[in-house]
Amino acid sequence: SLKKRSDILVEEIEEEIVIYDPRTHRVHHLNPMASIIWELFEVCSSPKEIAKEIVDVLKTDLSNVEKDVQETLGKLQRKGLLE
């Protein structure tokens, strides 16, 4: 299963997460939704559980949120921030 890389540096700046990757020397800025997904990734066991948490708080449509969660986790994985 995926997990966050332990060697990246993460800062929260005004509701957004900024991640520095020392392997590539790149900085990644996560938008507010991606920041929420990043935070929930630590405590939720699956993308479905992350989506359910977001829907419970935002009272929004589950199918849209599930799609956002899958896309965001895919992007984070392609950027090498999850392994």
Side-chain angles (χ1 to χ4, degrees), residues 8-21 24-39 72 75-76 79 81:
I8 56 177
L9 302 172
V10 179
E11 291 289 326
E12 187 169 339
I13 301 169
E14 295 177 15
E15 309 280 318
E16 292 188 354
I17 301 280
V18 178
I19 301 170
Y20 173 71
D21 183 346
T24 61
H25 304 292
R26 295 190 65 184
V27 175
H28 304 276
H29 296 265
L30 304 187
N31 67 33
M33 180 58 87
S35 296
I36 292 168
I37 293 167
W38 178 263
E39 292 293 315
T72 300
K75 284 179 188 166
L76 292 170
K79 290 177 179 177
L81 303 175

Side-chain angles (χ1 to χ4, degrees), residues 3 6-7 10 25-26 35 38 44 47 55 65 68 78 81:
K3 62 182 176 45
S6 58
D7 62 334
V10 179
H25 304 292
R26 295 190 65 184
S35 296
W38 178 263
C44 294
V55 168
V65 173
D68 284 349
R78 284 191 299 279
L81 303 175

Side-chain angles (χ1 to χ4, degrees), residues 44-61:
C44 294
S45 60
S46 69
K48 239 182 187 18
E49 192 180 338
I50 292 171
K52 186 182 174 315
E53 288 287 325
I54 292 169
V55 168
D56 287 349
V57 173
L58 299 181
K59 307 292 185 233
T60 186
D61 179 54

Side-chain angles (χ1 to χ4, degrees), residues 1-4 41 45 83:
S1 74
L2 287 175
K3 62 182 176 45
K4 295 178 182 178
F41 188 75
S45 60
E83 56 185 11

